[in-house]
Amino acid sequence: ILEARNVTRKFGGLVANNNMNLQVKAGEILALIGPNGAGKSTMFNQLSGVDTPTSGEVLFLGQPVAGKDSRQIARMGMSRTFQHVKLLPTMSVLENVAIGTHLRGGKGVLSAAWRLDRTEEARLLKEAARQIERVGLGEFMHAEAGSLALGQQRILEIARALCADPCLLLLDEPAAGLRHKEKQALADLLRKLRAEGLATLIVEHDMDFVMNLVDRVVVMEFGQKIAEGLPDEVQQNPAVLEAYLGGVE
Ligand code: ADP
Ligand code: MG
């Protein structure tokens, strides 16, 4: 459902992504891993349409992502979270997730916030509540978002992304900074969403987190793809071991 074809992204003289090719298939979890500075987040931005490749193209459901704004892309069924959690800490979990739902409405965010009619507001809150239950945060629906543990805040972000009813979820380092138990809870949720038919692309630095979770792995180093395959294969690939052990981690 998502395909990068010969994607190159240069920043001045620096080639952050060099002729990258990858595919995400319907219903699978694909991990894009690599050491710090490998070009993962840059690639994530090309895939999600936040940035445009210097050359090459990204197709989502067969259509070019370039030239579409974030709302159009969301409406096509691609939804993303952000590497650094952006929550409104004094607002409730429900309100925070409902803000994600606003983005799905046809109106702009501000006009939506300023002049929602009651029916529309009720619809948004209902959808948000449904996604909060889906990700297992039902008991925290009315708690302040800022009172949640970091792992729960990450999951809240996923609930927000799910409000756009995506067929593809893009996550940039969802496990960063989480405790072991929180990582397990996150992995369990991503498995559940996969069982429900959702495809996910995870950009991740932490190899251990992805290895027992994902279907396939693409490994980057210095802007290029250095390996691709099943988790077990990739884990034993000498170039991958070298990239991780030899890197400045
Ligand atoms: P990763 O996510 O794998 O750690 P990034 O994609 O963030 O790697 O960065 C890859 C390289 O591209 C780094 O050398 C980084 O400094 C550079 N880079 C990323 N974004 C920009 C930008 N907007 N302008 C200039 N250089 C950038
Ligand atoms: Mg990054």
Side-chain angles (χ1 to χ4, degrees):
I1 57 176
L2 183 69
E3 181 173 18
R5 289 187 184 163
N6 305 317
V7 166
T8 293
R9 179 63 166 109
K10 298 180 184 173
F11 297 111
L14 180 96
V15 187
N17 290 157
N18 190 3
N19 205 31
M20 282 291 297
N21 289 283
L22 64 81
Q23 294 182 347
V24 183
K25 297 170 188 167
E28 77 169 350
I29 306 180
L30 178 78
L32 179 61
I33 69 167
N36 280 327
K40 304 181 297 296
S41 291
T42 302
M43 192 62 202
F44 185 91
N45 290 339
Q46 313 309 308
L47 294 170
S48 58
V50 167
D51 194 16
T52 306
T54 309
S55 62
E57 65 175 346
V58 174
L59 301 176
F60 176 53
L61 301 173
Q63 292 192 50
V65 160
K68 295 196 171 62
D69 65 32
S70 57
R71 186 160 314 182
Q72 289 172 306
I73 291 170
R75 210 171 292 140
M76 287 166 71
M78 189 196 308
S79 202
R80 58 169 294 189
T81 63
F82 296 86
Q83 189 168 2
H84 303 288
V85 176
K86 290 170 192 159
L87 291 176
L88 300 164
T90 61
M91 286 171 73
S92 72
V93 168
L94 180 62
E95 288 164 329
N96 268 278
V97 174
I99 287 166
T101 323
H102 280 186
L103 299 175
R104 180 145 66 122
K107 304 169 189 170
V109 187
L110 290 178
S111 68
W114 285 339
R115 51 174 89 181
L116 274 181
D117 62 50
R118 289 246 173 86
T119 330
E120 177 75 348
E121 185 180 62
R123 192 186 64 74
L124 295 175
L125 289 171
K126 193 174 164 197
E127 176 65 10
R130 195 169 75 89
Q131 299 304 339
I132 290 165
E133 294 289 354
R134 185 182 182 192
V135 301
L137 288 181
E139 62 182 297
F140 303 105
M141 190 88 69
H142 302 291
E144 282 189 3
S147 74
L148 298 184
L150 186 62
Q152 295 167 328
Q153 294 189 12
R154 277 297 148 71
I155 286 174
L156 186 162
E157 280 281 313
I158 292 175
R160 202 189 244 184
L162 290 174
C163 284
D165 195 23
C167 61
L168 173 65
L169 194 59
L170 301 185
L171 308 173
D172 195 359
E173 305 221 7
L178 301 191
R179 295 156 184 272
H180 183 66
K181 277 244 157 65
E182 294 178 319
K183 288 183 188 180
Q184 284 180 328
L186 177 62
D188 287 344
L189 171 61
L190 296 177
R191 286 190 191 96
K192 171 184 183 261
L193 295 175
R194 173 173 56 193
E196 294 171 9
L198 190 70
T200 302
L201 178 125
I202 306 178
V203 163
E204 194 48 74
H205 165 86
D206 179 348
M207 263 222 256
D208 292 335
F209 174 71
V210 299
M211 286 305 171
N212 293 315
L213 168 64
V214 307
D215 298 292
R216 292 188 307 122
V217 183
V218 170
V219 189
M220 290 183 77
E221 188 186 22
F222 303 126
Q224 314 208 31
K225 183 161 80 178
I226 59 163
E228 175 168 21
L230 301 173
D232 285 342
E233 296 168 359
V234 161
Q235 229 167 351
Q236 290 165 33
N237 182 312
V240 175
L241 293 172
E242 175 64 23
Y244 267 83
L245 298 174
V248 281
E249 299 292 296

